Amino acid sequence: MTRIAAVAPVLPEYNYSQAEITRELAPLISSDPARRAVLERMHAATGIGTRHTALPLEQYRELGPFDETNDIFIGVATDLAERALGDALAQAGFAASDVDFVLFTSVTGISAPSIDALLIPRLGLRSDVKRLPSFGLGCVAGASGIARVHDYLVGHPNEVGVLISVELCSLTLRRADETMANFVATGLFGDGAAAVVMVGSGLEAAGPRVLDTRSAFYPDTGDVIGWNVKASGFEIVLTAGVADLIARHFPADVRSFLADNGRVLADVGCWIAHPGGPRVLEAFGDSLGLPREVFDLSWASLEKVGNLSSSSVLHVLADAGPQSSGTPGLLFALGPGVGAEFVLLEWP
């Protein structure tokens, strides 16, 4: 059975309080004091204490056009990916040359050759390593990435697969954009990365087993979460419909997934939810009839680093640490589509 051998979360070096970020960004987004006041209230309501950024905060005043910011993305993302995968491999006791399969994901920048290709000479990955870069899954990609590496390892039980996620949300900043979606995004998303090392059933590892995975796609929801790709870069699509989708679909999806694995809600001892924001976490709990404290790990991650898109659920998984023997865990996230991914774990 596939095992998660190591999870390594990493963050950029620049770290600011939510209040500092708001003070810096508000004048860049609106010249209207009344609109800035709305933005400030929305930022404060996120419950986020600090966030990390790819660049020093003052450099966002002069952030250039998309081609320049994307070049910054490539440089910073490659550095963070190298740190994350190096740390994860060291934790798992593997060398870079042991890696057989790499899945790289990001939704905040583009690169060809992709970031995973740039890592081959840096880390000493083999020239025959199999690579699969992914763009467009957004916040769900941390959960989907674990599921897809698991799928690969089911067919290659004696191999090592890795997932690398890098999200530099701050580089998508849109100045003079007074939409509510931009107000929310500039107060919610942070920068970060993570790497996960997984092994097939033929190899030994001490981490949790992946028991099962499930994907769900909700039709006619393409306008709920995502990007509009403009000449100027990425324009956020983010609506209040996310909470409604959770209320409509999550209870049945979670219960049926657990039931197909002989479990019920009460059996789950570790909940690893994507910390999409306060309303998202509240919707998860309300829809499932669960108390707030079952998502303490996700609330704590949101307060500490904000929403890191695909990297967030991997940071929560790392924060979960070792669990008691036999503990079932449910890891899940939502992303553009709208799609959801569920991963059932069990600690040995």
Side-chain angles (χ1 to χ4, degrees):
M1 193 170 290
T2 304
R3 287 271 182 91
I4 295 175
V7 185
V10 299
L11 295 161
E13 63 177 298
Y14 306 108
N15 182 25
Y16 301 96
S17 71
Q18 182 78 323
E20 289 176 301
I21 293 171
T22 302
R23 281 196 301 271
E24 183 66 32
L25 296 188
L28 304 181
I29 295 170
S30 178
S31 59
D32 180 350
R35 296 294 288 165
R36 287 206 302 268
V38 172
L39 179 146
E40 290 162 3
R41 287 197 300 272
M42 294 178 70
H43 282 205
T46 62
I48 294 169
T50 55
R51 284 185 283 160
H52 291 250
T53 58
L55 301 171
L57 195 53
E58 62 273 11
Q59 290 190 20
Y60 290 87
R61 301 172 196 170
E62 306 300 330
L63 203 61
F66 177 64
D67 58 340
E68 293 181 15
T69 58
N70 197 67
D71 285 344
I72 295 170
F73 170 85
I74 293 169
V76 177
T78 307
D79 289 343
L80 288 175
E82 180 182 14
R83 277 176 53 200
L85 184 54
D87 290 351
L89 289 170
Q91 287 179 34
F94 289 114
S97 58
D98 294 320
V99 175
D100 301 289
F101 175 71
V102 178
L103 194 160
F104 172 81
T105 190
S106 180
V107 76
T108 51
I110 55 176
S111 176
S114 51
I115 302 299
D116 45 288
L118 301 178
L119 291 179
I120 292 177
R122 284 208 191 191
L123 283 171
L125 295 164
R126 298 197 314 267
S127 61
D128 67 344
V129 68
K130 294 178 279 289
R131 300 181 295 110
L132 185 61
S134 165
F135 177 89
L137 285 170
C139 294
V140 77
S144 295
I146 288 176
R148 301 293 80 81
V149 175
H150 163 71
D151 291 344
Y152 173 84
L153 291 171
V154 168
H156 301 81
N158 296 311
E159 294 190 3
V160 177
V162 302
L163 165 66
I164 307 167
S165 160
V166 181
E167 302 290 10
L168 303 180
C169 305
S170 69
L171 296 179
T172 67
L173 173 68
R174 293 180 65 83
R175 292 186 294 254
D177 179 351
E178 297 187 5
T179 61
M180 295 302 286
N182 195 46
F183 282 12
V184 173
T186 54
L188 186 61
F189 290 99
D191 294 351
V196 182
V197 176
M198 300 172 63
V199 300
S201 59
L203 299 176
E204 292 295 323
R209 294 186 285 261
V210 177
L211 299 184
D212 197 8
T213 71
R214 182 164 297 176
S215 303
F217 184 82
Y218 308 133
D220 303 319
T221 59
D223 58 351
V224 175
I225 316 170
W227 293 122
N228 290 321
V229 181
K230 306 287 188 178
S232 55
F234 299 132
E235 177 187 72
I236 190 73
V237 176
L238 189 63
T239 73
V242 178
D244 295 335
L245 279 172
I246 292 170
R248 192 179 316 140
H249 296 288
F250 255 61
D253 286 348
V254 171
R255 287 187 172 91
S256 65
F257 179 51
L258 292 174
D260 288 347
N261 285 277
R263 290 171 171 82
V264 297
L265 288 178
D267 294 328
V268 178
C270 185
W271 292 87
I272 303 167
H274 168 65
R279 289 195 64 191
V280 169
L281 287 175
E282 288 167 358
F284 287 147
D286 292 345
S287 68
L288 297 171
L290 296 172
R292 177 186 169 107
E293 56 265 25
V294 303
F295 298 121
D296 276 351
L297 290 170
S298 299
W299 282 106
S301 183
L302 183 66
E303 191 281 331
K304 184 169 58 177
V305 296
N307 180 344
L308 305 179
S309 189
S310 69
S311 299
S312 258
V313 79
L314 306 179
H315 279 240
V316 178
L317 176 60
D319 291 342
Q323 299 287 316
S324 300
S325 177
T327 297
L330 186 62
L331 181 151
F332 56 91
L334 283 170
V338 170
E341 193 80 32
F342 305 90
V343 180
L344 183 62
L345 304 172
E346 184 180 71
W347 274 261

